Amino acid sequence: MPSAHASLVCVALPAFAVSAEHGQLDGSGLEGFYHGGRRLLSRCQVRVSGAEPVALQGRMTAAGRARFIATVRTGAEPGPDPDVILERLRNASGLERLTLFSSATRPLRLQLEAQLGTDLAELGAIAAGAAGGEVDAGVWESGLRWAAAGAQSVVTADPPPDTAVASAGLLRWELQLPPGGRHTIELR
C-alpha cells in the first residue's frame, strides 16, 4: 500500500476524502471518498480531449477541502504555454467541482471525461490490503450507481453528462469554451 504521509486528507466527519497531491483518484491505496468508514468512490480520473491533465499543484484550502490545479494542452497553442487550466475543488462531504479555464483567443471544443469506480470497501479492509475488486456500475439518472453487499454509492453530475457508459464507469461531456471562458461541472 502506498504511503499515506504525502496524502491530502479532507475531513468533515463522518465523511472524508484521501487524495494524492496530483488530484487524480486512481483507486490505489487509501485514496477515495469515504462516509461512515466505507469507501464510496475510489476512482475519479479526469481526462480532457483524451489527455490526462498535467498536475501543477495540490493543497488543502480548509480542513474539509482541497484544491488541485493542472494544465491541459490542446495542441493548437501558439506558444509553449497551455491554453487550458483545470481546477478541481474537492470537498470531504462528497462534492468535486471541475472547472476548465481557457486563455485561448479562439473558441475551443473540448471533451471532458470522468472515469469513476468503487469497491465499496470498509476502511479496515482497505488498510489491511483486502479491499477486493471494483463493483460494476450502472447508469443512474445523471450519473452512475454501484451496489453490493448491502452498500451503495451514487455519483450525480450537474450538468448531466452527454454520455454515460456504465461498463467503463465513464461520464463524458462535449464542451464549447469561448475565448477566455470557463465551464464548471459538479460531481456529487
Side-chain angles (χ1 to χ4, degrees):
M1 175 161 313
S3 171
H5 297 295
S7 297
L8 302 178
V9 181
C10 304
V11 179
L13 292 176
F16 65 96
V18 180
S19 313
E21 287 183 320
H22 52 70
Q24 296 279 39
L25 299 178
D26 63 10
S28 65
L30 294 171
E31 289 183 8
F33 283 92
Y34 294 79
H35 190 274
R38 182 177 298 275
R39 182 160 56 187
L40 300 180
L41 189 69
S42 59
R43 192 164 43 90
C44 183
Q45 294 174 293
V46 174
R47 295 176 70 81
V48 179
S49 296
E52 185 169 327
V54 176
L56 298 177
Q57 181 184 73
R59 67 172 49 165
M60 300 296 297
T61 60
R65 292 188 306 272
R67 179 177 186 241
F68 306 94
I69 302 294
T71 61
V72 178
R73 294 198 64 82
T74 63
E77 289 89 356
D81 296 326
D83 281 343
V84 178
I85 297 288
L86 171 65
E87 176 188 63
R88 296 174 80 165
L89 299 175
R90 184 165 294 149
N91 192 310
S93 65
L95 172 68
E96 178 140 350
R97 182 175 293 128
L98 309 168
T99 303
L100 290 169
F101 297 91
S102 172
S103 62
T105 57
R106 69 201 177 297
L108 295 175
R109 171 179 254 149
L110 300 171
Q111 185 180 81
L112 186 133
E113 294 179 343
Q115 193 164 25
L116 309 170
T118 187
D119 50 17
L120 293 174
E122 293 284 345
L123 180 58
I126 296 164
E134 280 194 1
V135 176
D136 291 333
V139 174
W140 179 262
E141 296 178 9
S142 64
L144 298 170
R145 177 180 180 270
W146 299 264
Q152 74 166 352
S153 179
V154 174
V155 172
T156 58
D158 184 25
D162 297 312
T163 307
V165 182
S167 61
L170 183 71
L171 302 178
R172 181 180 299 135
W173 294 263
E174 302 293 334
L175 307 174
Q176 299 283 342
L177 279 178
R182 67 179 167 170
H183 189 87
T184 298
I185 294 168
E186 287 189 353
L187 301 175
R188 193 174 295 277

